[in-house]
């Protein structure tokens, strides 16, 4: 089976298992796990922030950020197709008491400065006040598009001018950096916090990082504890996380595989594929007279997995555990499935 449902389906290889088995550990709630401390240090260095915090999931990273930046009852500006809004169980409301105000970030899922200014609410006797702007890069629902840092800068500057802090959901931050050929730290420059996943394209079995200023991370550490994310001898999972950071350099390979997959599928009768910018390939199957579910069932019967991303849209995601040969095989199998 060639599993292209997500870049989260990778399993840890030898180096990661070895790192798990041999990690130096201690109680991280006491700050005494040397492997976690090293992971937090290196993660901060890679994104150019003062500090970073290890969290079990990307969702927890985003939710901890929202709670740490805001006060209950405030508003958060979120993009209408963003992960924090669509796929995190309304966590901003449930966990932070926030009212979300959605902005339509258009084709690339990034709000303009004008939209940020229009969406802003000034606190007064009747109005809750805006406490956060949340952005996303790469934008998952828009097909893994890599957002130009200038666009992030513009939205973030508009928020900052209004005294509103900015969080970046960078679950696939390094995919964005690779595609744009800029250091991740450049993308992160204008924001107050960033989350990125070790467990997606980088192949770790678990874990994400939340990064920001020393003061922010100190407060986020308390929020993480509140949300039940204070872990003990977490070095056994942070060790593989450190290995995962070394996989940043090979993400271009996943992007190349996505490009090959997209080109080959676009040439198949009935399929229409937008050129991917990173490792996510969105395929419109309407021309084949199928809906997404029927198409995926046919693919699965031939040994290829993808995920439904809309009525007639399917997502294929390339990752560490598929090579060029797998991509070629996958294309053949999809052809057979449609024949
Ligand atoms: C996967 C994802 C998350 C959440 O990460 P989990 O580790 O699955 O909780 C957040 N944002 C984006 C854009 C994602 O793709």
């Amino acid at each position: 089976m060639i599993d292209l449902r997500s870049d989260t389906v990778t399993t840890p290889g030898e180096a990661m298992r070895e790192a798990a088995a041999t990690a130096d550990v201690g109680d991280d709630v006491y700050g005494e796990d040397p492997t976690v401390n090293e992971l937090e240090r290196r993660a901060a260095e890679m994104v150019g922030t003062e500090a970073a915090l290890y969290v079990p999931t990307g969702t927890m990273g985003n939710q901890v950020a929202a709670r740490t930046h805001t006060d209950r009852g405030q508003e958060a500006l979120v993009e209408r197709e963003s992960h924090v809004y669509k796929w995190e169980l309304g966590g901003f409301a449930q966990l932070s008491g926030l009212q979300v105000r959605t902005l339509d970030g258009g084709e690339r899922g990034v709000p303009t400065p004008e939209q940020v200014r229009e969406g802003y609410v000034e606190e007064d006797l009747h109005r809750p006040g805006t406490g956060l702007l949340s952005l996303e890069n790469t934008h998952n629902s828009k097909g893994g598009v890599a957002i130009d840092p200038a666009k992030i800068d513009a939205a973030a500057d508009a928020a900052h001018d209004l005294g509103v802090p900015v969080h970046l959901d960078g679950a696939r931050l390094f995919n964005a950096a690779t595609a744009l050929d800029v250091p991740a730290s450049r993308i992160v420059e204008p924001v107050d916090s960033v989350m990125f996943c070790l467990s997606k394209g980088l192949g770790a079995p678990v874990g994400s990082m939340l990064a920001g200023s020393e003061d922010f991370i100190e407060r986020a550490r308390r929020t993480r504890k509140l949300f039940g994310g204070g872990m003990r001898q977490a070095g056994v999972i942070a060790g593989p996380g450190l290995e995962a950071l070394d996989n940043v350099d090979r993400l271009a390979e996943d992007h190349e595989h996505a490009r090959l997959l997209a080109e080959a599928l676009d040439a198949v009768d009935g399929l229409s594929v937008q050129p991917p910018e990173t490792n996510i390939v969105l395929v419109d199957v309407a021309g084949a007279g199928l809906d997404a579910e029927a198409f995926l069932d046919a693919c699965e019967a031939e040994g290829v997995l993808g995920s439904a991303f809309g009525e007639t849209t399917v997502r294929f995601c390339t990752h560490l555990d598929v090579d060029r040969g797998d991509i070629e095989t996958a294309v053949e199998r999809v052809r057979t499935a449609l024949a």
Side-chain angles (χ1 to χ4, degrees):
M1 191 63 82
I2 299 172
D3 193 346
L4 302 173
R5 285 172 302 167
S6 174
D7 46 5
T8 57
V9 300
T10 56
T11 54
E14 270 313 305
M16 282 189 186
R17 287 172 191 274
E18 178 72 16
T22 58
D24 278 340
V25 298
D27 190 331
D28 181 52
V29 172
Y30 291 98
E32 291 172 2
D33 190 300
T35 308
V36 172
N37 292 342
E38 173 62 8
L39 176 62
E40 291 178 344
R41 194 194 60 73
R42 269 193 62 195
E45 188 179 275
M46 285 174 75
V47 299
T49 60
E50 287 174 0
L53 181 71
Y54 186 42
V55 287
T57 64
T59 300
M60 189 185 283
N62 286 334
Q63 296 299 328
V64 164
R67 180 65 186 261
T68 306
H69 281 302
T70 60
D71 293 325
R72 287 190 166 277
Q74 286 188 309
E75 284 197 7
L77 292 170
V78 301
E79 205 280 319
R80 63 188 284 264
E81 298 288 328
S82 64
H83 195 282
V84 294
Y85 179 60
K86 277 173 79 177
W87 307 115
E88 299 186 17
L89 293 130
F92 279 21
Q94 298 216 55
L95 301 171
S96 298
L98 296 170
Q99 167 161 282
V100 293
R101 184 179 290 258
T102 56
L103 305 176
D104 181 351
E107 288 268 290
R108 304 185 64 77
V110 53
T112 62
E114 292 71 36
Q115 287 178 307
V116 171
R117 284 190 284 269
E118 276 166 26
Y120 171 75
V121 164
E122 192 174 343
E123 182 187 328
D124 67 15
L125 180 60
H126 305 280
R127 314 221 314 160
T130 301
L132 183 68
L133 168 66
S134 184
L135 302 171
E136 186 171 317
N137 199 6
T138 63
H139 198 298
N140 183 20
S141 291
K142 300 294 182 184
V145 292
I147 312 298
D148 183 342
K151 295 251 177 9
I152 304 280
D153 293 353
D157 287 351
H160 287 152
D161 285 346
L162 297 161
V164 174
V166 182
H167 173 67
L168 179 65
D169 175 351
R172 299 184 179 84
L173 175 71
F174 291 100
N175 293 91
T178 300
L180 296 163
D181 197 23
V182 297
S185 57
R186 169 62 191 91
I187 301 173
V188 171
E189 221 171 75
V191 302
D192 302 285
S193 59
V194 62
M195 182 284 288
F196 69 90
C197 293
L198 301 167
S199 55
K200 294 218 164 139
L202 305 183
V206 250
S208 293
M209 306 305 303
L210 177 62
S213 69
E214 226 149 69
D215 169 67
F216 172 79
I217 292 300
E218 193 181 311
R219 290 182 292 121
R221 200 174 287 281
R222 295 187 78 230
T223 313
R224 182 186 67 172
K225 193 76 176 75
L226 173 68
F227 288 0
M231 298 179 284
R232 303 296 178 173
Q233 287 72 29
V236 294
I237 47 175
L242 276 163
E243 291 294 322
L245 292 179
D246 293 336
N247 286 331
V248 165
D249 296 335
R250 58 155 302 287
L251 288 173
E253 229 177 284
D254 291 347
H255 298 181
E256 174 66 6
H257 292 157
R259 201 184 55 75
L260 290 171
L261 181 67
E263 274 176 17
L265 292 181
D266 194 51
V268 175
D269 254 358
L271 301 184
S272 165
V273 188
Q274 53 169 305
E277 295 179 21
T278 58
N279 68 328
I280 291 173
V281 178
L282 294 187
V283 183
D284 186 351
V285 302
L290 295 171
D291 66 10
E293 294 297 346
F295 173 82
L296 286 170
D297 287 347
C299 289
E300 182 169 0
E302 294 301 324
V304 178
L305 298 177
S307 37
F309 229 57
E311 202 55 40
T312 61
T313 307
V314 164
R315 187 187 80 168
F316 291 121
C317 206
T318 59
H319 54 75
L320 195 57
D321 288 359
V322 289
D323 60 20
R324 196 182 167 122
D326 294 324
I327 296 299
E328 285 160 5
T329 308
V331 171
E332 279 319 305
R333 290 180 183 177
V334 172
R335 274 185 205 283
T336 310
L338 285 176

